[in-house]
Amino acid sequence: MGDPQPDSSAAFRALPSVERLLGAASFEPLLARFGRELVLDAVRGDLDALRAAIRAGAPADLTQRVSDAACAERVAGALRRRLAPRYPRAINATGVVLHTGLGRAPLAEEARQALLSAAGACVLEVDAESGQRSQRDEGITELVRELTGAEAACVVNNNAGATLITLAALAAGRPVIVSRGQLVEIGGSYRIPDVMAQSGAQMVEVGTTNRTHLRDYERALDEHPEAALLLRVHTSNFRVEGFTKEVELAELTELGSRRGVQVMDDLGSGCLIDLSPYGLPREPVISESLAAGAGVVTFSGDKLLGGPQAGVIVGSEELVSRVRRHSLYRALRPDKLTLAALEASLSLFRDPARALERIPTLEMLARPLERLEEQARALASQLEQAAGLQVECVQATSKVGGGSYAVEELPTWAVTLRAEGQSATELAQALRRGEPSIWTRVADERVWLDVRTLRPGEAQEGATFPVGS
Ligand SMILES: *Cc1c(COP(=O)(O)O)cnc(C)c1O
C-alpha cells in the first residue's frame, strides 16, 4: 500500500464516478437486466480494480479502459460470472455412464415431466379418496413391491441412508456379522465399518480379505447367539481375484433360518431386470435376493435403476415396518420431487423393453456397437467442419461407473480431437468451461468424446464446440 506515484493522480482523476457510469447509456441494459443493487456493487468492484491497476503503474491503455462502454462490458462479464448457476447443465462425453461428478443417472423424460408436475402442490401425504392423511411413500411402495416381489418397501434419500437406518432399526446394540471381504468403501465417505458404528450396531468381522466360509459365519453365530443380522454387502466397485471365496446368499439365508437370524443384503446398484441378455455381465437382481431368502435388501435409485438419488429398502413386512418406525426415517425421508421422479422411472420397468428404451442409463448401456459407430461417424463429420481441428473416429471403451460393474469395460466408439496450438488439456478445459459444459477424457495427447454417454440431440450441440480458437 505505497503512496501513489505523483504522475498517477491524473490517472485517478480520469476514473469515472459511480454516478456517471450508472447514468450512462451503456449501463441502461445492465440496470434493466440485473437491477441497481447488483450493478452498483459490480461497478464499485470494477473501479477498485482500476485503482489497483493505477497504483501498480498506470496502464498505457487507461483512457480506453475507463470509457463507459469498456466499464459496462467488464461489469456485464463480472455479473454474468457471479450470477451463473453453480449447477449448470453438462454434456457427458466421458463414456462413464453413471458419472457421479455429473449427477449419476440422467433422468428419463417421463421422470423429468413428473418432477415438473410435482414442483407445485401435489398429492403427497394425503389420500385423495378419503381426504385423510397418509404416508408419503405409500404410493411408491406399491410399485416397488410389484416390481421386486417384496412384501414391503420404504424409500429414503440414498442407499447410504437406507443401510444406516436399516442397521439402526434392526440391529442397534447387537452384533451384525459381515465378511472381511465385504467391508467396502464407496466414494470415500461411505464405509461399511463407519456406517455400522453410526447405526449403533456392533460389527463382527468374519473370514479373511480373500476367503470367507460358511463355517466362519457359523462360528460367529456360536459366539454371538444374540446377533441381529447376517450382512452381505455387494462388492460393486472392486474385484478380488485369484484364491477367493465368498458364501452365496442362499447358503447364508439357509444358515440364518436355521439359527433364527435375518439376512440383510446391501446390493448397492441393484438391478430390477437382468441385464445379461444385453451383453452386460450379471449384476444381482433385487427380486433374486428376496427369492434367495434375504429378509431385507437395500439399493440405490440413481445407479442401475436409472432414477433420481434415493435409497430403497425392500423386504418382509415385519422388518421394513420396523425401519419405517425408526426416528431416523423423518431425517432421511425423500422429498416430493424425488418420489415423483422415482415413481415415473420405476413405472417404466413394468415393461422391461420400454425401460431399456426410455431409461437413459439402460439405453446407454445396451446401445449396440453399430449404432455407436454411426453416431461417432456423424459427430466426426460435423466436427471436421471446424478449422484447426484434427478429428478421428476410433474404437474405445466405456465404463459403467457409479460403483457398478467394477472392472467391466464396454466396447464403444469415440471421436478424438487435436487442436492446433492448443494442448489436449487446454482443449478439454475450454470444453468444460463452455455452455453447456462438455466433459471429455484426455489420453494420448487427444480429447476423447465417447458417443455412448451423449443424449439425443447433444451431438448436434457439438457443432458449436469452442475449438481451434
Ligand atoms: C453405491 C453403494 C452404496 C451407497 O449408495 P448411495 O446411493 O450412493 O448412497 C452403498 N452400498 C453399496 C454396496 C453401493 O454400491
Side-chain angles (χ1 to χ4, degrees):
M1 282 277 287
D3 280 342
Q5 306 294 310
D7 66 338
S8 65
S9 56
F12 280 117
R13 275 199 305 277
L15 288 181
S17 70
V18 171
E19 291 70 37
R20 194 191 92 197
L21 288 177
L22 291 187
S26 43
F27 273 77
E28 252 174 55
L30 294 183
L31 287 164
R33 176 160 169 213
F34 299 108
R36 193 184 150 81
E37 279 304 306
L38 284 171
V39 176
L40 182 61
D41 203 45
V43 164
R44 286 190 178 130
D46 190 59
L47 291 175
D48 283 347
L50 283 171
R51 275 186 213 103
I54 295 170
R55 252 182 252 121
D61 60 347
L62 189 67
T63 330
Q64 193 260 317
R65 280 209 222 178
V66 298
S67 73
D68 295 355
C71 289
E73 201 179 306
R74 283 193 306 273
V75 164
L79 285 172
R80 263 198 306 275
R81 280 190 298 278
R82 182 167 162 204
L83 300 179
R86 294 298 187 264
Y87 303 98
R89 188 186 146 220
I91 290 184
N92 178 6
T94 62
V96 179
V97 175
L98 292 169
H99 195 300
T100 301
L102 298 178
R104 280 201 192 152
L107 294 181
E109 194 48 45
E110 285 80 353
R112 294 169 190 235
Q113 293 302 322
L115 272 180
L116 271 183
S117 112
C122 82
V123 179
L124 181 65
E125 281 186 15
V126 282
D127 178 58
E129 214 51 52
S130 65
Q132 303 294 307
R133 272 305 272 270
S134 68
Q135 288 278 355
R136 67 170 51 202
D137 64 352
E138 222 165 73
I140 202 163
T141 53
E142 226 173 86
L143 182 54
V144 175
R145 283 165 44 209
E146 179 191 322
L147 294 171
T148 60
E151 224 174 83
C154 168
V155 179
V156 293
N157 262 326
N158 50 33
N159 191 39
T163 51
L164 175 67
I165 192 176
T166 305
L167 288 168
L170 305 182
R174 292 169 64 191
V176 171
I177 298 165
V178 62
S179 163
R180 287 202 166 86
Q182 297 173 5
L183 299 179
V184 302
E185 169 178 311
I186 300 196
S189 53
Y190 180 92
R191 305 171 112 193
I192 292 293
D194 298 346
V195 175
M196 198 81 87
Q198 278 294 328
S199 73
Q202 171 200 340
M203 184 167 76
V204 176
E205 303 169 34
V206 298
T208 61
T209 307
N210 58 329
R211 288 174 71 83
T212 300
H213 305 270
L214 192 63
R215 61 174 185 273
D216 295 322
Y217 290 96
E218 284 175 326
R219 211 170 297 141
L221 282 175
D222 291 342
E223 277 168 39
H224 303 276
E226 76 286 20
L229 290 171
L230 295 167
L231 171 65
R232 184 184 79 149
V233 183
H234 179 47
T235 51
S236 47
N237 60 352
F238 70 100
R239 167 110 27 102
V240 184
E241 281 185 2
F243 189 51
T244 65
K245 158 121 181 98
E246 284 287 0
V247 174
E248 292 292 325
L249 183 63
E251 291 177 84
L252 213 52
T253 58
E254 195 274 326
L255 171 66
S257 71
R258 257 193 292 130
R259 302 290 193 94
V261 181
Q262 293 285 350
V263 174
M264 166 176 172
D265 193 13
D266 176 18
L267 275 187
S269 55
C271 291
L272 281 171
I273 51 179
D274 180 10
L275 295 174
S276 57
Y278 308 97
L280 289 165
R282 268 190 70 82
E283 267 278 302
V285 176
I286 297 147
S287 56
E288 291 173 1
S289 275
L290 293 166
V296 62
V297 180
T298 58
F299 53 95
S300 288
D302 55 353
K303 290 185 181 171
L304 290 173
L305 225 69
Q309 180 190 300
V312 186
I313 302 151
V314 294
S316 70
E317 179 64 48
E318 198 258 318
L319 297 181
V320 174
S321 66
R322 274 163 62 194
V323 171
R324 160 91 57 33
R325 284 198 306 270
H326 193 275
S327 57
L328 268 176
Y329 181 69
R330 183 64 176 78
L332 295 175
R333 70 178 192 185
D335 75 322
K336 62 181 180 177
L337 301 180
T338 300
L339 289 170
L342 185 62
E343 180 190 24
S345 305
L346 286 172
S347 195
L348 292 166
F349 282 90
R350 286 181 160 131
D351 175 357
R354 195 167 158 70
L356 275 160
E357 223 174 82
R358 306 291 306 168
I359 300 271
T361 301
L362 299 186
E363 186 280 322
M364 291 189 273
L365 289 174
R367 198 181 304 155
L369 199 56
E370 313 84 73
R371 178 79 193 106
L372 292 164
E373 180 177 1
E374 262 170 47
Q375 288 176 308
R377 299 226 176 271
L379 177 60
S381 66
Q382 256 180 55
L383 292 173
E384 273 158 8
Q385 315 299 318
L389 206 58
Q390 260 183 52
V391 182
E392 256 181 276
C393 232
V394 293
Q395 281 197 283
T397 47
S398 316
K399 288 207 162 92
V400 183
S404 317
Y405 295 106
V407 286
E408 278 82 11
E409 294 194 321
L410 308 168
T412 189
W413 279 85
V415 175
T416 66
L417 305 178
R418 271 208 286 193
E420 259 165 43
Q422 210 178 14
S423 74
T425 316
E426 286 165 346
L427 176 56
Q429 187 193 46
L431 292 170
R432 287 198 304 274
R433 284 178 162 170
E435 262 179 65
S437 173
I438 300 168
W439 292 71
T440 60
R441 261 187 297 155
V442 173
D444 301 333
E445 294 296 302
R446 283 154 224 258
V447 162
W448 295 61
L449 303 162
D450 184 337
V451 294
R452 181 188 295 277
T453 45
L454 294 181
R455 303 305 307 142
E458 287 181 345
Q460 282 69 44
E461 293 181 65
T464 61
F465 280 3
V467 289
S469 48

